[in-house]
Every structure is written in C-alpha cells, then in structure tokens.
Amino acid sequence: MVILPKVKQLQLGLKWFLLFIAVVLSIQYTSPQDSYFQDSHDKLIQTYSLYYNHFQSDKLYYPGYDFDPNLNYFHLVDNLYIKCKDRIVSAFPIQFAVLMAPLLYIFPLSYLVYSSLLFLFLGFWILKQYYKFSFSLLWICYFGTYLWPLSWEYSEMPAIFAFSLIGLLPILRNQKSILIQTLAGLSLSWVILVRLDTLPFFSFFFFFTFLFLWKDHSYRSVLSKIVSLRVYLIVCLLGISLQFILNEILYDHIFGTRFLANLSGFKVSFAQRLEWFQSLNFYADKKIGFFAYLPMTLPLIVYYGKIFKAISNLKKSLLLSLILTILVIPFIAPNDGFNNWGPRFYTVLIFPYLLLLKPLYVKISASKNWKFRITLILIITYSFLLGIVGAKIQKSKTSLVKNFRAITKELNPDIIVFTDYLNLYSIGSDYTKHISLVSYTSEKNDQLINILSEKMKNKKIIFVDWHPFILTQETRNAMNAEKAKGGYPISHWDLNRLESSLEKNTSNFQILDKQMYRIWSGTIKGAN
C-alpha cells in the first residue's frame, strides 16, 4: 500500500522532468545566449545599466557617452529611449529590469535570457496546482501557443504570463488566504504597470465579474465579494499607486517611459489602425496574428457563445473580456509589434484562452467522436508547426550575433562603427565589451575620426558595413525606400572618403572581408 504513493510521486516527477527537458531543449535550439537583438538587446542593456550603476541610477549605459554627449552616434531610435532631466533612460518600464538586475551578481550577462525558465515553470506549477491542468494541457499551453516564441528572447513576457495567473487567483479560484491575496495584488499591479496594454483585459474582466454578480444576486453580494477580497484589492491599488509615484518622481509622468516614448505612435490614422487590426489578429507583413496563431479561438468563441446562458459567470467574464480586448487593442496600441513572432500585445490573453480551452479539450478528449478529436489534434499541431517556423527564423537571427562574435573575438576592436542601428544589434550582449556606435553619413564618419583622434589614441577601430555581394546598391536603395517612413536608413558611406581618412588617421590600416561584412580596420594615431 505504501508503494503506490511513491510510484505516483515518481510518475509525477518524471512528467515534470520530461516537460522541463523539452522546454529547455526547445529554447536552447535557438541559441538564446545569442538572441539579444532589438527589443531583447535594449532590455538587456537597461538591466545591465542598473547593475552597472549599482542601483543608484537608471541612466542608460552608453559606452560612447564621454566623447558623444549629444548622442550623435547612439544606436537607439527615438521611441526606444527618452531624455529625462540630466540623463538618458530606456523607454521600457524599469520594473522588469529591477527584478532581473540582481541576477547579474550571479550569472553572466548573456545567460540572463534563461530567466524565462523560472517564470515559465512558475506559471506551469500554478496551472497544475490551482487551475488543475493536466500535463497534456501544460504541453499545449507552451508548444501549442505563442508562449513558446515569447520565451526565446530576454523579455518580460514569460513573467507577464506567470504573474497574470497569480494575479487572478483570488477571483478565478476563490483564494482567500491573506498570503495569496497579497501576492496576487502585487503581481497584478506589476503586470499592469509593466505592460499597459494588459489594462483593457483586466478592466473588462473586473467589470463583467462584478456586473454578473450584481445582476444574478444583489448589491449586497457585490459588497460582500469586495470585502472578502479587501486585502487583494488594497494591495493591488497600493502597488499601482506606488509605481505611479515612482514614475512621476523619475520621469515626470505617472505612466512612465513606455507611454512617453510611444506618444507619437498613438496618433496614427484610422486607416493605419485597420492595418494593425489585420496584422495583430490575422496576418500581414510576415506577422502572425492572434487568430492565425491560435485558430482554436474562433471555435471557442462560437462554442461558448451558443451555451452562453448555461456557463458560469466567470467563464462569461473571461469570454467577453477576451473578445473585447481583441477588438480594442489594435485601436489603442502604439504599433503592431513589428517583427515579433506571435502578437505580444495579446500575451495576457494566452491564459484566458487556455482556461476556456480546458473544458472543451477534456470533453473532446473523452469523446468517441473521432472527427472532433482529429480536428482538435490538427489545430493544435498547426500552432505547434508555426512555432517551429518561428524557431527557424529566430535561429537565423541568433546566428547573426553568434557569427559576428567570432569577428570581434578575432579582431578585438575597442571601437566598432556600424552603418545602421539594426546592423549594430549583431553585437549582442558584447555591447558592454566594446564602444559600439552608428554613423549614418560620411560627414559623421569624418567628425567621429577627428574626435577619436583627440580622445582615443592607440585604440583599435573598425567600421562595419554589409559586404557589397550581400547587399548590393540596388538592394540597399530598395530597403531604404521602405525604411524611409521610419527615418533610419542603412547608411551609404563614401568609401573613398572613409578609406582616405582612415589611412591618414590610423596605423595598420586594413580592408577585410569577413563573412557577410566588409570591414575597415586601423589603430588610431592620435591628434598631431
């Protein structure tokens, strides 16, 4: 009799172990330590900045600041940083960086991306412990949704997933303990301030939850519910208020840096909003929308719509909040997520989608109707295959960083000058080991060489451009025509002018072809 519980414990441990191995291997396939590209890179440097400043300032780390205080060669575009008082700060909310920066006392910078495992398995454990998810559903939760692509890069998205699950425990699972209500209140306030785009979903959900309670019972029932959740609600409101105060003190605006940096994005035309509606919900410009990635969403909406009167009030609230959030987000978001694989603005909708899927999944799995079962398997397999496609794309980006690291290791430059900000992201987490700059014109090249001749004598410098065989002038012109909207083209340097200036101002001047790049290298002589 004693053996059976031990066998069950071993089986449970084995299931967790297999899930852990599968998740780790699926992440490791994309070389996450080389995944710091664009937003992921910028969040990494924001986190590093807190660590570098010993948590005394949120001033953004910029290795060229000493000789470039006007940020003429700074790589970040306008909506990724703001100038605040006497410093430059990241456009991303500081709360995630504060949470992660202490890890740098233990782990190397490039390994920070693996923190996603902590949040993923926290979320999985909560789903298993409190929401009674089976292990098959946990596999679907990860590999059958875009939670998988969101875990390949260093970002707050896995934390948003886990903390959202915690944040609604008092409502969805009727958890009344003071500890859980406190943790849930803190989690919910953190999620809302880190991702303001989660606010519509939570606002809708609380509105409908109390509306249905009032409608089906009485005003006293609503008050009684509020009283039972008083610790949860007070902690959540205090958490939001404290973060508002912090934002006001640091950035002169209660909504913080992300809101300020995105102000221009909120002013786009209605036609542009309609395009974003298409890309966020369906497909456009190589972006997979919510319904395209999770086609099971539509059958869920139809299924619950047909039995709407019979389902619980909480399911009604989840369903209506999910639908309305899908409709609202494209018309309040600052952009459509650019090149991410899976609509990150809908990260908060992954868990209501899973909670609504669970009863239908159990019902279909137990059904003898093979057509329903095959259909469900095909739909989930389709989402899984999308993840594989995304993994291939992600691996191509990480290989760019990995390959460029081999170049920097071989040449060991002190200063690297790139042709555009996207090219600079090839530096990855090695950004902190070199002075990495962007120069958009030949005039700026000349000015930079003059400045460095005065302040960086005997330092090795390389100028990096795409190899002309990789990026022909025709291709460059075509790409810049598309980039013209954003105002940040791939530079077209006057190479004769660059080479003449480097021959004059550097020693050991060389022109090298490495992988996909053409590189001009030399050691700065110093001012005469």
Side-chain angles (χ1 to χ4, degrees):
M1 296 294 291
V2 179
I3 296 176
L4 286 177
K6 289 185 177 180
V7 170
K8 288 184 178 179
Q9 286 180 356
L10 286 172
Q11 288 177 338
L12 183 64
L14 180 61
K15 289 177 180 178
W16 277 116
F17 177 73
L18 290 175
L19 179 61
F20 177 78
I21 292 298
V23 172
V24 170
L25 291 178
S26 70
I27 294 175
Q28 187 59 36
Y29 169 77
T30 63
S31 301
Q33 66 272 22
D34 299 312
S35 71
Y36 300 108
F37 206 85
Q38 290 185 265
D39 284 6
S40 180
H41 176 275
D42 299 334
K43 291 170 185 177
L44 181 78
I45 300 307
Q46 180 192 30
T47 304
Y48 176 79
S49 298
L50 281 178
Y51 166 79
Y52 179 80
N53 297 327
H54 305 290
F55 292 87
Q56 296 177 13
S57 171
D58 58 349
K59 181 180 178 181
L60 206 54
Y61 175 80
Y62 172 43
Y65 194 81
D66 288 343
F67 60 82
D68 182 30
N70 295 322
L71 309 180
N72 292 318
Y73 304 97
F74 190 41
H75 75 281
L76 288 182
V77 296
D78 290 344
N79 69 333
L80 291 177
Y81 77 99
I82 61 172
K83 293 181 180 179
C84 187
K85 299 175 182 176
D86 59 342
R87 68 199 193 282
I88 53 172
V89 297
S90 173
F92 297 105
I94 196 174
Q95 288 88 340
F96 180 64
V98 169
L99 188 66
M100 304 309 298
L103 294 178
L104 291 177
Y105 289 104
I106 305 171
F107 300 108
L109 187 65
S110 61
Y111 279 72
L112 213 56
V113 68
Y114 290 103
S115 61
S116 64
L117 291 170
L118 172 66
F119 299 115
L120 288 172
F121 277 88
L122 174 61
F124 296 157
W125 182 80
I126 293 167
L127 286 173
K128 189 81 175 69
Q129 181 72 17
Y130 292 100
Y131 294 93
K132 307 305 177 186
F133 269 49
S134 64
F135 275 97
S136 60
L137 266 173
L138 291 183
W139 283 75
I140 292 171
C141 160
Y142 185 68
F143 292 103
T145 73
Y146 54 93
L147 183 60
W148 184 16
L150 291 176
S151 65
W152 296 330
E153 296 184 320
Y154 177 64
S155 81
E156 73 280 10
M157 298 307 176
I160 294 295
F161 169 73
F163 290 162
S164 295
L165 290 170
I166 298 171
L168 290 185
L169 276 176
I171 303 287
L172 292 174
R173 308 311 295 175
N174 198 30
Q175 294 292 319
K176 296 181 180 179
S177 79
I178 293 177
L179 177 60
I180 289 182
Q181 290 205 22
T182 301
L183 291 175
L186 290 173
S187 297
L188 189 59
S189 65
W190 189 89
V191 168
I192 290 173
L193 267 294
V194 171
R195 297 291 309 188
L196 290 172
D197 47 69
T198 64
L199 188 57
F201 172 78
F202 291 120
S203 298
F204 289 134
F205 178 75
F206 277 94
F207 172 77
F208 286 118
T209 297
F210 288 109
L211 176 66
F212 289 129
L213 186 63
W214 188 352
K215 182 180 177 183
D216 291 356
H217 297 280
S218 65
Y219 179 69
R220 286 175 177 266
S221 298
V222 174
L223 289 179
S224 176
K225 186 69 172 178
I226 291 174
V227 169
S228 71
L229 297 172
R230 62 188 181 278
V231 174
Y232 168 60
L233 296 174
I234 290 171
V235 170
C236 183
L237 290 174
L238 281 176
I240 291 174
S241 299
L242 288 174
Q243 291 180 85
F244 276 164
I245 293 170
L246 178 66
N247 286 338
E248 183 64 34
I249 293 172
L250 292 177
Y251 314 116
D252 297 327
H253 198 290
I254 61 171
F255 290 135
T257 53
R258 184 73 275 182
F259 181 84
L260 290 171
N262 281 339
L263 281 176
S264 60
F266 296 129
K267 301 174 183 177
V268 299
S269 66
F270 183 72
Q272 181 68 70
R273 293 285 178 186
L274 291 178
E275 290 180 17
W276 290 354
F277 184 89
Q278 178 183 343
S279 60
L280 282 169
N281 288 301
F282 302 101
Y283 177 83
D285 299 326
K286 298 180 181 180
K287 289 187 280 287
I288 307 295
F290 190 78
F291 288 101
Y293 206 109
L294 302 175
M296 192 64 194
T297 306
L298 192 56
L300 283 176
I301 292 173
V302 173
Y303 171 75
Y304 283 107
K306 287 184 176 181
I307 61 169
F308 189 78
K309 292 183 179 180
I311 61 177
S312 68
N313 285 340
L314 286 177
K315 283 192 175 66
K316 290 177 183 176
S317 298
L318 285 172
L319 179 67
L320 291 174
S321 302
L322 182 144
I323 294 171
L324 289 174
T325 303
I326 288 172
L327 295 175
V328 165
I329 286 295
F331 296 98
I332 63 172
N335 53 68
D336 65 348
F338 298 113
N339 63 346
N340 54 278
W341 193 253
R344 58 185 166 88
F345 285 120
Y346 291 140
T347 301
V348 72
L349 296 186
I350 292 176
F351 86 86
Y353 164 82
L354 292 169
L355 293 179
L356 292 172
L357 175 64
K358 178 188 172 186
L360 193 59
Y361 171 81
V362 172
K363 184 176 181 179
I364 292 176
S365 298
S367 171
K368 294 182 179 180
N369 190 322
W370 63 270
K371 291 183 179 179
F372 284 158
R373 297 177 72 177
I374 292 296
T375 301
L376 179 63
I377 290 171
L378 289 175
I379 291 175
I380 293 172
T381 301
Y382 160 81
S383 296
F384 171 70
L385 292 175
L386 276 182
I388 292 178
V389 173
K392 296 286 187 183
I393 296 171
Q394 177 69 9
K395 194 170 180 64
S396 69
K397 290 197 296 184
T398 58
S399 65
L400 193 67
V401 175
K402 183 178 181 180
N403 293 337
F404 195 79
R405 179 171 288 124
I407 294 175
T408 56
K409 187 176 182 180
E410 176 188 350
L411 300 180
N412 193 28
D414 298 294
I415 305 159
I416 309 176
V417 186
F418 294 90
T419 49
D420 72 312
Y421 75 103
L422 289 176
N423 198 352
L424 178 139
Y425 284 120
S426 303
I427 196 71
S429 59
D430 284 350
Y431 180 82
T432 60
K433 300 177 182 178
H434 311 273
I435 298 175
S436 303
L437 311 169
V438 172
S439 177
Y440 284 104
T441 66
S442 295
E443 289 74 15
K444 283 195 171 184
N445 283 347
D446 293 341
Q447 292 169 12
L448 178 62
I449 292 171
N450 290 333
I451 293 170
L452 295 177
S453 293
E454 294 180 1
K455 301 193 175 186
M456 293 287 176
K457 184 179 180 180
N458 296 326
K459 297 295 184 181
K460 186 174 183 179
I461 186 171
I462 63 173
F463 283 74
V464 180
D465 192 9
W466 300 107
H467 196 284
F469 289 158
I470 299 294
L471 191 66
T472 64
Q473 189 58 50
E474 292 76 11
T475 306
R476 190 188 299 262
N477 291 339
M479 291 177 67
N480 281 344
E482 182 64 27
K483 285 173 172 280
K485 300 174 184 177
Y488 296 94
I490 300 174
S491 308
H492 176 56
W493 294 336
D494 183 333
L495 300 185
N496 291 329
R497 186 170 170 178
L498 174 64
E499 291 167 11
S500 175
S501 181
L502 287 174
E503 284 178 343
K504 178 182 177 182
N505 292 283
T506 67
S507 58
N508 304 315
F509 173 66
Q510 300 178 76
I511 301 175
L512 307 167
D513 289 337
K514 300 285 184 181
Q515 298 178 31
M516 300 182 294
Y517 304 99
R518 176 153 288 174
I519 297 170
W520 296 263
S521 170
T523 302
I524 299 170
K525 292 179 180 178
N528 295 326

